[in-house]
Amino acid sequence: MSHWYTTHWYESESGSASTPTLTWADTGDGTGGTATVAGSYAASTNTIYYASYAGDSETMTWTSAGSRTGDGTVAVSLASGHYLLRCHSAVGSDASDSSILYITVSNSTEVVEYRLATAIQARIQALTL
């Protein structure tokens, strides 16, 4: 389906925005990282959202970490910890979300065993036993 958006045409499948792909690169210094959006329309507004992941998906709050127009990177400031990350892509009235990523923001001074233990803890808490 074709749509007129501001000053140009864009193509969408089944009347919805293109589903973006989201990847993550941790800075390794405990301050966050870089989210990279690909596969969206050039005119789409791509907003990155994060939620702290402590195993309780019932009370998660999604918070905007920044946005950009079209594909590219968004610097995301987060403290060391475990998070879920997603991208909401919108063009006009059409919108689509990326898959949700489980990410870790780490500090290179933390020993590997500690990072593994906190990751295991977060996943065990998610089991809601």
Side-chain angles (χ1 to χ4, degrees), residues 48-90:
I48 307 300
Y49 290 94
Y50 71 90
S52 180
Y53 185 70
D56 184 7
S57 60
E58 298 293 321
T59 60
M60 270 193 274
T61 301
W62 290 95
T63 305
S64 174
S67 64
R68 66 164 292 112
T69 301
D71 292 348
T73 61
V74 176
V76 179
S77 297
L78 295 168
S80 291
H82 303 271
Y83 299 90
L84 296 179
L85 198 69
R86 68 181 172 93
C87 175
H88 179 77
S89 183

Side-chain angles (χ1 to χ4, degrees), residues 96-116:
S96 184
D97 287 304
S98 70
S99 296
I100 295 174
L101 296 181
Y102 169 81
I103 64 164
T104 302
V105 175
S106 64
N107 186 331
S108 62
T109 61
E110 295 172 340
V111 281
V112 173
E113 290 85 1
Y114 176 76
R115 287 188 257 168
L116 291 172

Side-chain angles (χ1 to χ4, degrees), residues 16-49:
S16 63
S18 178
T19 302
T21 301
L22 183 63
T23 56
W24 174 255
D26 182 14
T27 59
D29 62 4
T31 63
T34 302
T36 302
V37 179
S40 68
Y41 291 112
S44 64
T45 299
N46 296 308
T47 305
I48 307 300
Y49 290 94

